[in-house]
Amino acid sequence: MKLKILVVAGDGIGPEVTGESVAVLKEAAALGGHEFTFSERRIGGVAIVQDGTPLPAATVEAALAADAVLLGAVGGNEFNSLPPDKRPEAGLLGLRSALGGFANLRPAFAFKELAVNSPLRPEVIDGADILFVRELLGGLYFGQPREWNRAAGEAWNTMRYTKDEVARVARVAFQLAMKRRKKLTSVDKANVLEVSQLWRATVNEVAAEFPGVAVEHQYVDAMSMHLMNRPRDFDVVLTENLFGDILTDESAVITGSLGMLPSATLGGKVNLYEPVHGSAPDIAGKGLANPLGAILTGALILRHSAGLEAEAAAIETAVRKVLEQGFRTPDLARSNPQGYTVLSTREMGARVRETVKSQLLAASV
Ligand code: IPM
Ligand code: MG
C-alpha cells in the first residue's frame, strides 16, 4: 500500500515528537512492504519567522495533495502578544479549515501502568476508555462576527452552528459508538444557550437513525465533574468545539499525562492527525518530551487513512509493552518510586520502534 504523508512539525517539541512518530511509521511500512513517503512543510511560529505567515500557501497546497497530514504542535511565548489571526494557532486553525475535517477523535484512556501518574485514585480510572468526538470547524472558534473593538472597549465572538454541522459530526459519533460499547453522551449547555438547544435537538434526531445506541445528554459543567468522578461510565462523548477543547485536556488526567494522547480529524478532504498536547516551549529541544502521543497519533494514521489495522494495533501494543517494561519519559516519572528507567525522547522512540518490529515480525511467522 502507498501513502503520502505530509509532516508539519511546527514549534517547540513538535519536531522532536513527530520525528519519533515518523521513524515508527517508517519501521512499520518497511516491515509490511508498504511504500510511505514523507515530506515536510512549515506551520505556526516557525512559519511566522521564516515565511511571515503562520500558514504559508505552500503548506496548504502540500497538505491538500497528501493522503494524510501529521502535525506536531504550534505556539510559542514570543508570539503571545500578537492578535489571534496572526498567532501560530491561526496557522493550525487555517489548516483545519482548509482540510475540512470536522470530526476530531480524541481517545482518553487509562493505562494500568500509568495509574500512579494520575491524581485520581486507581479504582476510579481503572478501565476507563473514552472516545471524545469534538466538533472542530464550528462554534466560537470560527463563528462570525468576531472582533475586539478597542475604541469601544468591547469584544465579541459568536458560538454558531447550523443543523447540518451538528448532524454530520453526530453521525460520525454514533457510527463510532456502534463499533464500541454503544453508548453516547452528548455534552452541551442547553439550559442557557440556544445554540446548545439546536445541538441537543439535532443529536436526538440523528439518534433515531441509531436505535442500538443509548444516548444521554449532559451539561458541560456537570460533565467536567462526572469525568473526574466516574470516567468509566462514558464511552463516546460528543461535543462542540470549545467544550471539546476543554474536556479533552481535563481528561488527560485520566491517562496521567497529556503527552500520551493522540487525535485524528476525519470527514474532510484529507485527514489531519495531531497529538492533543501543545508545543511545551519550556522543554523543547532538551530531549525531555514524551513522543508517545505523537507515536499513537501515527497509529491512527495507519488505522484511519491506510486501513492497516494490524500495524496500528502493533504500535498501540508496543507502547503498552514499553510502559510495562518500566520505561518512562520524565513527564511519566515525576516521582520515581518504582525505579523506572527514564528515557529521552529519542530513546523512547527507539524502544517503541524495536518493540513494533518484534511484534510485527512475530505476527508474520
Ligand atoms: C487543541 C489546541 C488548539 C485548539 C489550539 C492550539 C488552537 O488547544 O488542539 O486542543 O484550541 O483547538
Ligand atoms: Mg486544546
Side-chain angles (χ1 to χ4, degrees):
M1 119 129 253
K2 288 187 180 174
L3 200 68
K4 271 199 312 203
I5 301 175
L6 179 73
V7 181
V8 279
D11 305 321
I13 62 170
E16 295 161 72
V17 299
T18 46
E20 296 314 314
S21 178
V22 166
V24 170
L25 287 171
K26 284 186 174 160
E27 185 76 62
L31 289 165
H34 305 295
E35 206 180 302
F36 292 0
T37 52
F38 297 86
S39 46
E40 293 179 19
R41 289 291 183 277
R42 286 187 288 273
I43 195 168
V46 59
I48 294 177
V49 172
Q50 295 199 38
D51 309 285
T53 162
L55 185 62
T59 301
V60 176
E61 206 175 295
L64 287 168
D67 298 314
V69 178
L70 173 62
L71 182 122
V74 295
N77 297 331
E78 62 272 42
F79 308 105
N80 283 349
S81 57
L82 295 175
D85 63 329
K86 300 273 186 304
R87 290 172 60 110
E89 288 82 353
L92 173 54
L93 296 175
L95 182 63
R96 286 178 183 167
S97 127
L99 296 181
F102 53 85
N104 179 219
L105 279 44
R106 296 190 165 190
F109 35 74
F111 277 101
K112 199 164 68 307
E113 296 72 27
L114 297 182
V116 48
N117 288 286
S118 175
L120 301 177
R121 291 195 308 280
E123 68 269 26
V124 172
I125 55 176
D126 184 34
D129 175 9
I130 304 173
L131 178 58
F132 284 91
V133 178
R134 169 188 175 193
E135 200 292 327
L136 205 64
L137 285 189
L140 281 169
Y141 277 63
F142 291 95
Q144 296 288 345
R146 58 185 295 161
E147 191 181 329
W148 180 3
N149 186 326
R150 285 179 171 72
E154 190 183 352
W156 53 92
N157 291 89
T158 307
M159 191 188 273
R160 178 178 177 280
Y161 274 103
T162 65
K163 192 173 165 179
D164 286 351
E165 285 168 338
V166 180
R168 67 182 184 175
V169 73
R171 239 168 238 124
V172 171
F174 275 100
Q175 276 154 5
L176 290 162
M178 288 295 289
K179 293 193 210 144
R180 293 173 48 104
R181 302 192 304 278
K182 300 193 172 52
K183 181 169 179 201
L184 185 142
T185 304
S186 176
V187 179
D188 61 38
K189 188 69 187 171
N191 49 347
V192 177
L193 305 175
E194 284 78 2
V195 64
S196 283
Q197 290 169 349
L198 169 84
W199 180 279
R200 192 177 279 217
T202 308
V203 170
N204 281 335
E205 271 182 46
V206 174
E209 299 166 25
F210 298 90
V213 177
V215 188
E216 66 166 354
H217 299 274
Q218 292 285 354
Y219 297 134
V220 62
D221 50 351
M223 186 65 179
S224 70
M225 184 181 63
H226 298 323
L227 280 168
M228 299 294 98
N229 273 332
R230 46 182 188 90
R232 263 193 308 244
D233 288 356
F234 302 102
D235 179 15
V236 173
V237 175
L238 166 67
T239 191
E240 68 90 44
N241 207 344
L242 180 68
F243 298 162
D245 180 46
I246 298 169
L247 294 179
T248 54
D249 266 32
E250 185 197 17
S251 298
V253 168
I254 297 166
T255 309
S257 169
L258 194 53
M260 294 300 299
L261 298 181
S263 95
T265 303
L266 314 179
K269 298 188 195 99
V270 181
N271 294 341
L272 173 64
Y273 298 85
E274 41 177 321
V276 174
H277 65 69
S279 58
D282 50 319
I283 60 163
K286 298 181 182 161
L288 297 173
N290 180 353
L292 296 177
I295 289 171
L296 291 169
T297 299
L300 296 184
I301 297 184
L302 299 185
R303 174 166 302 127
H304 296 289
S305 285
L308 297 174
E309 177 54 38
E311 282 84 348
I315 294 175
E316 288 161 351
T317 307
V319 167
R320 210 170 266 277
K321 282 206 163 150
V322 165
L323 295 173
E324 270 165 26
Q325 291 161 359
F327 296 108
R328 300 286 187 273
T329 42
D331 58 311
L332 302 177
R334 278 197 195 110
S335 69
N336 194 357
Q338 335 270 15
Y340 300 131
T341 311
V342 179
L343 302 181
S344 70
T345 309
R346 296 181 73 158
E347 289 167 338
M348 181 56 103
R351 277 280 157 198
V352 175
R353 223 150 58 226
E354 278 311 301
T355 315
V356 167
K357 188 170 172 185
S358 47
Q359 292 267 115
L360 289 175
L361 288 175
S364 67
V365 286

mmCIF file of all heavy atoms in Angstrom, residues 313-358:
data_model
loop_
_atom_site.group_PDB
_atom_site.id
_atom_site.type_symbol
_atom_site.label_atom_id
_atom_site.label_comp_id
_atom_site.label_asym_id
_atom_site.label_seq_id
_atom_site.Cartn_x
_atom_site.Cartn_y
_atom_site.Cartn_z
ATOM 1 N N ALA A 313 -2.524 -1.546 15.518
ATOM 2 C CA ALA A 313 -2.625 -2.233 16.809
ATOM 3 C C ALA A 313 -1.241 -2.614 17.324
ATOM 4 O O ALA A 313 -0.983 -2.584 18.539
ATOM 5 C CB ALA A 313 -3.509 -3.466 16.668
ATOM 6 N N ALA A 314 -0.330 -2.940 16.410
ATOM 7 C CA ALA A 314 1.033 -3.305 16.847
ATOM 8 C C ALA A 314 1.709 -2.113 17.516
ATOM 9 O O ALA A 314 2.421 -2.279 18.522
ATOM 10 C CB ALA A 314 1.857 -3.784 15.651
ATOM 11 N N ILE A 315 1.492 -0.928 16.983
ATOM 12 C CA ILE A 315 2.091 0.269 17.600
ATOM 13 C C ILE A 315 1.479 0.501 18.986
ATOM 14 O O ILE A 315 2.181 0.765 19.965
ATOM 15 C CB ILE A 315 1.894 1.507 16.693
ATOM 16 C CG1 ILE A 315 2.698 1.333 15.396
ATOM 17 C CG2 ILE A 315 2.305 2.780 17.415
ATOM 18 C CD1 ILE A 315 2.486 2.441 14.366
ATOM 19 N N GLU A 316 0.160 0.346 19.071
ATOM 20 C CA GLU A 316 -0.501 0.578 20.360
ATOM 21 C C GLU A 316 -0.042 -0.450 21.397
ATOM 22 O O GLU A 316 0.210 -0.127 22.566
ATOM 23 C CB GLU A 316 -2.025 0.555 20.176
ATOM 24 C CG GLU A 316 -2.499 1.817 19.446
ATOM 25 C CD GLU A 316 -3.880 1.709 18.817
ATOM 26 O OE1 GLU A 316 -4.451 0.595 18.771
ATOM 27 O OE2 GLU A 316 -4.388 2.755 18.357
ATOM 28 N N THR A 317 0.094 -1.687 20.964
ATOM 29 C CA THR A 317 0.573 -2.724 21.883
ATOM 30 C C THR A 317 2.022 -2.456 22.287
ATOM 31 O O THR A 317 2.391 -2.651 23.450
ATOM 32 C CB THR A 317 0.474 -4.119 21.216
ATOM 33 O OG1 THR A 317 -0.859 -4.275 20.743
ATOM 34 C CG2 THR A 317 0.817 -5.229 22.176
ATOM 35 N N ALA A 318 2.814 -1.992 21.339
ATOM 36 C CA ALA A 318 4.216 -1.704 21.646
ATOM 37 C C ALA A 318 4.328 -0.625 22.715
ATOM 38 O O ALA A 318 5.144 -0.727 23.641
ATOM 39 C CB ALA A 318 4.953 -1.288 20.374
ATOM 40 N N VAL A 319 3.509 0.405 22.610
ATOM 41 C CA VAL A 319 3.541 1.475 23.611
ATOM 42 C C VAL A 319 3.214 0.900 24.991
ATOM 43 O O VAL A 319 3.881 1.172 25.988
ATOM 44 C CB VAL A 319 2.562 2.611 23.221
ATOM 45 C CG1 VAL A 319 2.328 3.562 24.377
ATOM 46 C CG2 VAL A 319 3.089 3.368 21.995
ATOM 47 N N ARG A 320 2.188 0.064 25.037
ATOM 48 C CA ARG A 320 1.801 -0.551 26.303
ATOM 49 C C ARG A 320 2.942 -1.414 26.861
ATOM 50 O O ARG A 320 3.253 -1.359 28.048
ATOM 51 C CB ARG A 320 0.556 -1.404 26.059
ATOM 52 C CG ARG A 320 -0.359 -1.526 27.231
ATOM 53 C CD ARG A 320 -1.670 -2.185 26.829
ATOM 54 N NE ARG A 320 -2.704 -1.205 26.478
ATOM 55 C CZ ARG A 320 -3.475 -0.581 27.366
ATOM 56 N NH1 ARG A 320 -3.335 -0.826 28.643
ATOM 57 N NH2 ARG A 320 -4.391 0.283 26.981
ATOM 58 N N LYS A 321 3.573 -2.177 25.986
ATOM 59 C CA LYS A 321 4.655 -3.068 26.433
ATOM 60 C C LYS A 321 5.834 -2.293 26.995
ATOM 61 O O LYS A 321 6.400 -2.662 28.024
ATOM 62 C CB LYS A 321 5.160 -3.908 25.251
ATOM 63 C CG LYS A 321 4.256 -5.051 24.919
ATOM 64 C CD LYS A 321 5.027 -6.166 24.240
ATOM 65 C CE LYS A 321 4.183 -7.441 24.298
ATOM 66 N NZ LYS A 321 4.422 -8.311 23.168
ATOM 67 N N VAL A 322 6.199 -1.230 26.305
ATOM 68 C CA VAL A 322 7.330 -0.421 26.751
ATOM 69 C C VAL A 322 7.035 0.156 28.148
ATOM 70 O O VAL A 322 7.912 0.196 29.013
ATOM 71 C CB VAL A 322 7.616 0.675 25.697
ATOM 72 C CG1 VAL A 322 8.502 1.761 26.235
ATOM 73 C CG2 VAL A 322 8.222 0.047 24.447
ATOM 74 N N LEU A 323 5.785 0.547 28.357
ATOM 75 C CA LEU A 323 5.414 1.049 29.681
ATOM 76 C C LEU A 323 5.463 -0.076 30.719
ATOM 77 O O LEU A 323 5.950 0.105 31.834
ATOM 78 C CB LEU A 323 4.019 1.673 29.648
ATOM 79 C CG LEU A 323 3.870 2.940 28.791
ATOM 80 C CD1 LEU A 323 2.413 3.349 28.700
ATOM 81 C CD2 LEU A 323 4.708 4.085 29.361
ATOM 82 N N GLU A 324 4.977 -1.242 30.322
ATOM 83 C CA GLU A 324 5.007 -2.401 31.226
ATOM 84 C C GLU A 324 6.425 -2.737 31.642
ATOM 85 O O GLU A 324 6.676 -3.165 32.769
ATOM 86 C CB GLU A 324 4.441 -3.642 30.514
ATOM 87 C CG GLU A 324 2.945 -3.840 30.666
ATOM 88 C CD GLU A 324 2.414 -4.867 29.646
ATOM 89 O OE1 GLU A 324 3.198 -5.742 29.195
ATOM 90 O OE2 GLU A 324 1.244 -4.748 29.309
ATOM 91 N N GLN A 325 7.351 -2.542 30.700
ATOM 92 C CA GLN A 325 8.753 -2.847 30.995
ATOM 93 C C GLN A 325 9.413 -1.776 31.861
ATOM 94 O O GLN A 325 10.603 -1.867 32.168
ATOM 95 C CB GLN A 325 9.534 -3.020 29.679
ATOM 96 C CG GLN A 325 9.123 -4.289 28.933
ATOM 97 C CD GLN A 325 9.502 -4.253 27.459
ATOM 98 O OE1 GLN A 325 10.069 -3.263 26.973
ATOM 99 N NE2 GLN A 325 9.190 -5.314 26.737
ATOM 100 N N GLY A 326 8.650 -0.741 32.228
ATOM 101 C CA GLY A 326 9.177 0.253 33.166
ATOM 102 C C GLY A 326 9.895 1.413 32.525
ATOM 103 O O GLY A 326 10.567 2.176 33.214
ATOM 104 N N PHE A 327 9.744 1.575 31.212
ATOM 105 C CA PHE A 327 10.390 2.720 30.561
ATOM 106 C C PHE A 327 9.459 3.922 30.622
ATOM 107 O O PHE A 327 8.257 3.799 30.395
ATOM 108 C CB PHE A 327 10.751 2.381 29.117
ATOM 109 C CG PHE A 327 11.766 1.277 29.035
ATOM 110 C CD1 PHE A 327 11.405 0.001 28.602
ATOM 111 C CD2 PHE A 327 13.075 1.503 29.434
ATOM 112 C CE1 PHE A 327 12.333 -1.020 28.555
ATOM 113 C CE2 PHE A 327 14.015 0.482 29.387
ATOM 114 C CZ PHE A 327 13.648 -0.787 28.951
ATOM 115 N N ARG A 328 10.032 5.071 30.922
ATOM 116 C CA ARG A 328 9.247 6.289 31.086
ATOM 117 C C ARG A 328 10.005 7.489 30.545
ATOM 118 O O ARG A 328 11.217 7.558 30.677
ATOM 119 C CB ARG A 328 8.975 6.578 32.584
ATOM 120 C CG ARG A 328 8.200 5.508 33.357
ATOM 121 C CD ARG A 328 6.733 5.529 32.975
ATOM 122 N NE ARG A 328 5.946 4.626 33.811
ATOM 123 C CZ ARG A 328 5.769 3.323 33.555
ATOM 124 N NH1 ARG A 328 6.324 2.768 32.506
ATOM 125 N NH2 ARG A 328 5.024 2.584 34.356
ATOM 126 N N THR A 329 9.260 8.456 29.970
ATOM 127 C CA THR A 329 9.837 9.780 29.747
ATOM 128 C C THR A 329 9.651 10.565 31.053
ATOM 129 O O THR A 329 8.847 10.155 31.911
ATOM 130 C CB THR A 329 9.131 10.484 28.570
ATOM 131 O OG1 THR A 329 7.725 10.244 28.673
ATOM 132 C CG2 THR A 329 9.666 9.968 27.245
ATOM 133 N N PRO A 330 10.377 11.682 31.226
ATOM 134 C CA PRO A 330 10.340 12.375 32.521
ATOM 135 C C PRO A 330 8.938 12.765 32.992
ATOM 136 O O PRO A 330 8.646 12.710 34.193
ATOM 137 C CB PRO A 330 11.197 13.618 32.276
ATOM 138 C CG PRO A 330 12.130 13.228 31.188
ATOM 139 C CD PRO A 330 11.365 12.285 30.306
ATOM 140 N N ASP A 331 8.049 13.146 32.049
ATOM 141 C CA ASP A 331 6.691 13.540 32.464
ATOM 142 C C ASP A 331 5.935 12.382 33.108
ATOM 143 O O ASP A 331 4.987 12.599 33.867
ATOM 144 C CB ASP A 331 5.887 14.049 31.246
ATOM 145 C CG ASP A 331 5.801 13.007 30.133
ATOM 146 O OD1 ASP A 331 6.849 12.452 29.762
ATOM 147 O OD2 ASP A 331 4.688 12.729 29.663
ATOM 148 N N LEU A 332 6.354 11.146 32.811
ATOM 149 C CA LEU A 332 5.660 9.971 33.357
ATOM 150 C C LEU A 332 6.369 9.424 34.592
ATOM 151 O O LEU A 332 5.991 8.388 35.122
ATOM 152 C CB LEU A 332 5.595 8.860 32.290
ATOM 153 C CG LEU A 332 4.913 9.226 30.979
ATOM 154 C CD1 LEU A 332 4.991 8.066 29.999
ATOM 155 C CD2 LEU A 332 3.457 9.608 31.226
ATOM 156 N N ALA A 333 7.431 10.089 34.998
ATOM 157 C CA ALA A 333 8.212 9.571 36.132
ATOM 158 C C ALA A 333 8.570 10.700 37.083
ATOM 159 O O ALA A 333 9.676 10.793 37.577
ATOM 160 C CB ALA A 333 9.483 8.897 35.606
ATOM 161 N N ARG A 334 7.589 11.564 37.309
ATOM 162 C CA ARG A 334 7.877 12.737 38.151
ATOM 163 C C ARG A 334 8.319 12.288 39.521
ATOM 164 O O ARG A 334 9.314 12.734 40.049
ATOM 165 C CB ARG A 334 6.649 13.624 38.260
ATOM 166 C CG ARG A 334 6.565 14.497 37.049
ATOM 167 C CD ARG A 334 5.644 15.668 37.233
ATOM 168 N NE ARG A 334 5.366 16.215 35.909
ATOM 169 C CZ ARG A 334 4.202 16.125 35.303
ATOM 170 N NH1 ARG A 334 3.177 15.565 35.890
ATOM 171 N NH2 ARG A 334 4.055 16.624 34.103
ATOM 172 N N SER A 335 7.556 11.380 40.107
ATOM 173 C CA SER A 335 8.076 10.719 41.301
ATOM 174 C C SER A 335 8.471 9.346 40.775
ATOM 175 O O SER A 335 7.855 8.823 39.862
ATOM 176 C CB SER A 335 6.997 10.600 42.364
ATOM 177 O OG SER A 335 6.034 9.674 41.938
ATOM 178 N N ASN A 336 9.517 8.792 41.318
ATOM 179 C CA ASN A 336 10.046 7.573 40.708
ATOM 180 C C ASN A 336 10.156 6.455 41.730
ATOM 181 O O ASN A 336 11.217 5.840 41.890
ATOM 182 C CB ASN A 336 11.407 7.898 40.081
ATOM 183 C CG ASN A 336 11.859 6.796 39.135
ATOM 184 O OD1 ASN A 336 11.188 5.784 38.988
ATOM 185 N ND2 ASN A 336 13.005 6.980 38.510
ATOM 186 N N PRO A 337 9.034 6.176 42.410
ATOM 187 C CA PRO A 337 9.119 5.187 43.495
ATOM 188 C C PRO A 337 9.397 3.776 42.982
ATOM 189 O O PRO A 337 9.953 2.963 43.700
ATOM 190 C CB PRO A 337 7.740 5.263 44.156
ATOM 191 C CG PRO A 337 6.836 5.766 43.082
ATOM 192 C CD PRO A 337 7.668 6.638 42.196
ATOM 193 N N GLN A 338 9.009 3.494 41.747
ATOM 194 C CA GLN A 338 9.141 2.117 41.258
ATOM 195 C C GLN A 338 10.465 1.865 40.566
ATOM 196 O O GLN A 338 10.646 0.823 39.964
ATOM 197 C CB GLN A 338 8.025 1.777 40.261
ATOM 198 C CG GLN A 338 6.768 2.571 40.408
ATOM 199 C CD GLN A 338 5.808 1.894 41.362
ATOM 200 O OE1 GLN A 338 6.212 1.008 42.087
ATOM 201 N NE2 GLN A 338 4.568 2.301 41.356
ATOM 202 N N GLY A 339 11.355 2.860 40.561
ATOM 203 C CA GLY A 339 12.631 2.667 39.891
ATOM 204 C C GLY A 339 12.497 2.514 38.391
ATOM 205 O O GLY A 339 13.096 1.631 37.781
ATOM 206 N N TYR A 340 11.702 3.363 37.777
ATOM 207 C CA TYR A 340 11.559 3.323 36.331
ATOM 208 C C TYR A 340 12.874 3.670 35.648
ATOM 209 O O TYR A 340 13.705 4.359 36.208
ATOM 210 C CB TYR A 340 10.526 4.358 35.859
ATOM 211 C CG TYR A 340 9.161 4.180 36.414
ATOM 212 C CD1 TYR A 340 8.485 5.251 36.977
ATOM 213 C CD2 TYR A 340 8.533 2.945 36.371
ATOM 214 C CE1 TYR A 340 7.210 5.104 37.490
ATOM 215 C CE2 TYR A 340 7.254 2.791 36.880
ATOM 216 C CZ TYR A 340 6.607 3.876 37.441
ATOM 217 O OH TYR A 340 5.360 3.732 37.938
ATOM 218 N N THR A 341 12.991 3.240 34.397
ATOM 219 C CA THR A 341 14.109 3.684 33.568
ATOM 220 C C THR A 341 13.648 4.901 32.789
ATOM 221 O O THR A 341 12.737 4.797 31.959
ATOM 222 C CB THR A 341 14.511 2.561 32.585
ATOM 223 O OG1 THR A 341 14.647 1.355 33.335
ATOM 224 C CG2 THR A 341 15.819 2.902 31.900
ATOM 225 N N VAL A 342 14.237 6.046 33.087
ATOM 226 C CA VAL A 342 13.804 7.277 32.440
ATOM 227 C C VAL A 342 14.577 7.466 31.136
ATOM 228 O O VAL A 342 15.806 7.426 31.121
ATOM 229 C CB VAL A 342 13.994 8.492 33.378
ATOM 230 C CG1 VAL A 342 13.556 9.778 32.681
ATOM 231 C CG2 VAL A 342 13.192 8.280 34.659
ATOM 232 N N LEU A 343 13.829 7.630 30.049
ATOM 233 C CA LEU A 343 14.435 7.718 28.720
ATOM 234 C C LEU A 343 14.245 9.111 28.119
ATOM 235 O O LEU A 343 13.289 9.813 28.454
ATOM 236 C CB LEU A 343 13.778 6.709 27.762
ATOM 237 C CG LEU A 343 13.817 5.230 28.147
ATOM 238 C CD1 LEU A 343 13.137 4.404 27.055
ATOM 239 C CD2 LEU A 343 15.259 4.759 28.351
ATOM 240 N N SER A 344 15.121 9.450 27.205
ATOM 241 C CA SER A 344 14.956 10.685 26.435
ATOM 242 C C SER A 344 13.907 10.438 25.346
ATOM 243 O O SER A 344 13.492 9.291 25.097
ATOM 244 C CB SER A 344 16.280 11.082 25.782
ATOM 245 O OG SER A 344 16.570 10.162 24.752
ATOM 246 N N THR A 345 13.530 11.522 24.687
ATOM 247 C CA THR A 345 12.551 11.420 23.594
ATOM 248 C C THR A 345 13.002 10.372 22.566
ATOM 249 O O THR A 345 12.217 9.498 22.162
ATOM 250 C CB THR A 345 12.418 12.802 22.899
ATOM 251 O OG1 THR A 345 12.191 13.787 23.903
ATOM 252 C CG2 THR A 345 11.293 12.809 21.886
ATOM 253 N N ARG A 346 14.265 10.481 22.147
ATOM 254 C CA ARG A 346 14.747 9.579 21.095
ATOM 255 C C ARG A 346 14.884 8.151 21.584
ATOM 256 O O ARG A 346 14.592 7.204 20.847
ATOM 257 C CB ARG A 346 16.085 10.069 20.564
ATOM 258 C CG ARG A 346 15.939 11.422 19.889
ATOM 259 C CD ARG A 346 17.244 11.904 19.347
ATOM 260 N NE ARG A 346 17.584 11.119 18.179
ATOM 261 C CZ ARG A 346 18.431 11.545 17.250
ATOM 262 N NH1 ARG A 346 19.006 12.727 17.375
ATOM 263 N NH2 ARG A 346 18.702 10.795 16.208
ATOM 264 N N GLU A 347 15.334 8.004 22.831
ATOM 265 C CA GLU A 347 15.451 6.635 23.370
ATOM 266 C C GLU A 347 14.077 5.971 23.462
ATOM 267 O O GLU A 347 13.921 4.791 23.165
ATOM 268 C CB GLU A 347 16.108 6.673 24.754
ATOM 269 C CG GLU A 347 17.580 7.021 24.713
ATOM 270 C CD GLU A 347 18.146 7.365 26.082
ATOM 271 O OE1 GLU A 347 17.375 7.745 26.992
ATOM 272 O OE2 GLU A 347 19.372 7.273 26.247
ATOM 273 N N MET A 348 13.080 6.759 23.884
ATOM 274 C CA MET A 348 11.728 6.199 23.977
ATOM 275 C C MET A 348 11.231 5.797 22.584
ATOM 276 O O MET A 348 10.662 4.720 22.389
ATOM 277 C CB MET A 348 10.781 7.217 24.628
ATOM 278 C CG MET A 348 9.363 6.735 24.798
ATOM 279 S SD MET A 348 9.267 5.175 25.735
ATOM 280 C CE MET A 348 8.717 5.766 27.340
ATOM 281 N N GLY A 349 11.492 6.668 21.603
ATOM 282 C CA GLY A 349 11.093 6.348 20.230
ATOM 283 C C GLY A 349 11.745 5.048 19.763
ATOM 284 O O GLY A 349 11.089 4.181 19.161
ATOM 285 N N ALA A 350 13.020 4.925 20.056
ATOM 286 C CA ALA A 350 13.759 3.728 19.622
ATOM 287 C C ALA A 350 13.208 2.466 20.283
ATOM 288 O O ALA A 350 13.072 1.416 19.635
ATOM 289 C CB ALA A 350 15.241 3.894 19.943
ATOM 290 N N ARG A 351 12.861 2.562 21.572
ATOM 291 C CA ARG A 351 12.265 1.418 22.285
ATOM 292 C C ARG A 351 10.978 0.962 21.609
ATOM 293 O O ARG A 351 10.737 -0.227 21.411
ATOM 294 C CB ARG A 351 11.889 1.821 23.722
ATOM 295 C CG ARG A 351 12.977 1.782 24.686
ATOM 296 C CD ARG A 351 13.231 0.360 25.176
ATOM 297 N NE ARG A 351 14.574 0.318 25.661
ATOM 298 C CZ ARG A 351 15.285 -0.780 25.859
ATOM 299 N NH1 ARG A 351 14.766 -1.963 25.614
ATOM 300 N NH2 ARG A 351 16.508 -0.707 26.308
ATOM 301 N N VAL A 352 10.137 1.941 21.312
ATOM 302 C CA VAL A 352 8.845 1.596 20.701
ATOM 303 C C VAL A 352 9.083 0.958 19.334
ATOM 304 O O VAL A 352 8.464 -0.049 18.983
ATOM 305 C CB VAL A 352 7.933 2.841 20.576
ATOM 306 C CG1 VAL A 352 6.645 2.505 19.838
ATOM 307 C CG2 VAL A 352 7.630 3.414 21.950
ATOM 308 N N ARG A 353 10.027 1.536 18.585
ATOM 309 C CA ARG A 353 10.327 1.020 17.246
ATOM 310 C C ARG A 353 10.764 -0.439 17.302
ATOM 311 O O ARG A 353 10.285 -1.285 16.553
ATOM 312 C CB ARG A 353 11.450 1.860 16.652
ATOM 313 C CG ARG A 353 11.255 2.223 15.225
ATOM 314 C CD ARG A 353 11.913 3.546 14.925
ATOM 315 N NE ARG A 353 13.334 3.577 15.212
ATOM 316 C CZ ARG A 353 13.951 4.568 15.865
ATOM 317 N NH1 ARG A 353 13.244 5.583 16.305
ATOM 318 N NH2 ARG A 353 15.234 4.545 16.076
ATOM 319 N N GLU A 354 11.686 -0.715 18.206
ATOM 320 C CA GLU A 354 12.168 -2.086 18.372
ATOM 321 C C GLU A 354 11.006 -3.021 18.700
ATOM 322 O O GLU A 354 10.908 -4.141 18.200
ATOM 323 C CB GLU A 354 13.174 -2.146 19.535
ATOM 324 C CG GLU A 354 14.570 -1.735 19.145
ATOM 325 C CD GLU A 354 15.038 -2.448 17.874
ATOM 326 O OE1 GLU A 354 15.059 -3.704 17.904
ATOM 327 O OE2 GLU A 354 15.329 -1.777 16.864
ATOM 328 N N THR A 355 10.129 -2.546 19.584
ATOM 329 C CA THR A 355 9.024 -3.395 20.037
ATOM 330 C C THR A 355 8.007 -3.600 18.910
ATOM 331 O O THR A 355 7.472 -4.703 18.748
ATOM 332 C CB THR A 355 8.364 -2.775 21.293
ATOM 333 O OG1 THR A 355 9.406 -2.362 22.173
ATOM 334 C CG2 THR A 355 7.459 -3.745 21.999
ATOM 335 N N VAL A 356 7.768 -2.565 18.130
ATOM 336 C CA VAL A 356 6.869 -2.700 16.973
ATOM 337 C C VAL A 356 7.440 -3.744 16.023
ATOM 338 O O VAL A 356 6.721 -4.618 15.506
ATOM 339 C CB VAL A 356 6.707 -1.350 16.233
ATOM 340 C CG1 VAL A 356 6.042 -1.528 14.872
ATOM 341 C CG2 VAL A 356 5.900 -0.379 17.080
ATOM 342 N N LYS A 357 8.749 -3.658 15.837
ATOM 343 C CA LYS A 357 9.404 -4.590 14.928
ATOM 344 C C LYS A 357 9.220 -6.024 15.405
ATOM 345 O O LYS A 357 8.791 -6.896 14.639
ATOM 346 C CB LYS A 357 10.892 -4.233 14.859
ATOM 347 C CG LYS A 357 11.664 -4.973 13.820
ATOM 348 C CD LYS A 357 13.045 -4.345 13.704
ATOM 349 C CE LYS A 357 13.945 -5.177 12.800
ATOM 350 N NZ LYS A 357 15.307 -4.639 12.788
ATOM 351 N N SER A 358 9.491 -6.269 16.691
ATOM 352 C CA SER A 358 9.367 -7.661 17.139
ATOM 353 C C SER A 358 7.916 -8.126 17.103
ATOM 354 O O SER A 358 7.617 -9.273 16.770
ATOM 355 C CB SER A 358 10.009 -7.871 18.523
ATOM 356 O OG SER A 358 9.623 -6.876 19.391
#
